[in-house]
Amino acid sequence: MQNDFNFCPNCGGRQIQNVKMRKWLCADCGFDLYNNVASAVGLIICDDKGRVLFERRGKEPRKGFLALPGGFVDPDETAEEAAVRESMEEIGVKPYAVRYLCSFPNTYEYKGIVYKTCDLFFTAKLPAGAELSAQEGEVTAFDWRSVQNERELSELPLAFESARKTLALWLKENHQ
């Protein structure tokens, strides 16, 4: 799938071209618009039994699949700030000990538009006795799952491949 414009957003001309999914260029006025990668965050949060917290997605893309808590980074926000904000929005709890783990590229298709993302993943902890509260419209349920080996990881119906790659790395680093 390719993201295309029918008209130049600057002059309205019809000579707008998609140049290798890197940018759009208008031959009529010289306008160019870069297709920059969006930043997104995800959190690996474990309970005292070592299970990982997953959300059941309440909307597309991949509605009904499991995802790590997280979302897009807002303008003028650090990835760490986004991780805390997204956790508070989606699960209703402010995490602590938020530590960077890794990043992976991802493709996020939404309403016919393909967004290329760089997903930044963190580990984090929740305060003792924290009660989860699902963000309406975004999260339909929470699911604590054991992810102690490759077999358990392979059985998870994950929404995004970047999360699968992150959990594989996390497993390798923490369960060898």
Side-chain angles (χ1 to χ4, degrees):
M1 172 175 278
Q2 191 166 302
N3 301 336
D4 287 318
F5 291 110
N6 293 321
F7 301 97
C8 172
N10 187 54
C11 73
R14 295 180 72 69
Q15 300 297 316
I16 188 94
Q17 296 177 333
N18 185 320
V19 181
K20 299 180 183 177
M21 284 296 293
R22 182 70 181 107
K23 70 176 184 175
W24 295 272
L25 181 62
C26 178
D28 291 334
C29 72
F31 176 78
D32 59 356
L33 174 66
Y34 283 87
N35 187 19
N36 294 323
V37 171
S39 299
V41 295
L43 293 128
I44 297 176
I45 299 170
C46 294
D47 67 5
D48 57 359
K49 298 173 188 161
R51 300 176 303 174
V52 176
L53 174 63
F54 293 97
E55 305 171 342
R56 181 101 25 210
R57 288 184 56 80
K59 69 177 198 175
E60 296 297 343
R62 312 283 289 164
K63 182 178 180 178
F65 284 79
L66 296 179
L68 296 169
F72 287 101
V73 178
D74 285 345
D76 299 319
E77 183 177 53
T78 68
E80 291 82 0
E81 290 167 342
V84 170
R85 177 186 50 75
E86 285 287 345
S87 177
M88 291 170 56
E89 289 174 3
E90 292 187 353
I91 70 173
V93 179
K94 183 177 181 176
Y96 70 96
V98 177
R99 301 285 180 260
Y100 176 77
L101 176 63
C102 65
S103 65
F104 285 102
N106 194 24
T107 299
Y108 188 91
E109 187 178 331
Y110 182 67
K111 294 187 177 184
I113 302 291
V114 175
Y115 298 90
K116 292 296 188 173
T117 65
C118 180
D119 295 349
L120 303 134
F121 291 93
F122 297 84
T123 58
K125 296 181 181 183
L126 297 181
E131 292 195 28
L132 304 179
S133 175
Q135 182 181 16
E136 190 174 331
E138 295 279 332
V139 178
T140 60
F142 298 112
D143 201 347
W144 291 96
R145 295 279 189 106
S146 176
V147 186
Q148 300 296 315
N149 55 54
E150 289 290 331
R151 181 189 54 76
E152 288 179 344
L153 176 57
S154 70
E155 293 173 355
L156 292 173
L158 292 174
F160 304 111
E161 190 59 27
S162 60
R164 188 172 306 284
K165 289 177 181 177
T166 295
L167 287 164
L169 177 71
W170 175 77
L171 266 175
K172 187 176 181 179
E173 290 183 359
N174 294 289
H175 294 89
Q176 289 285 347

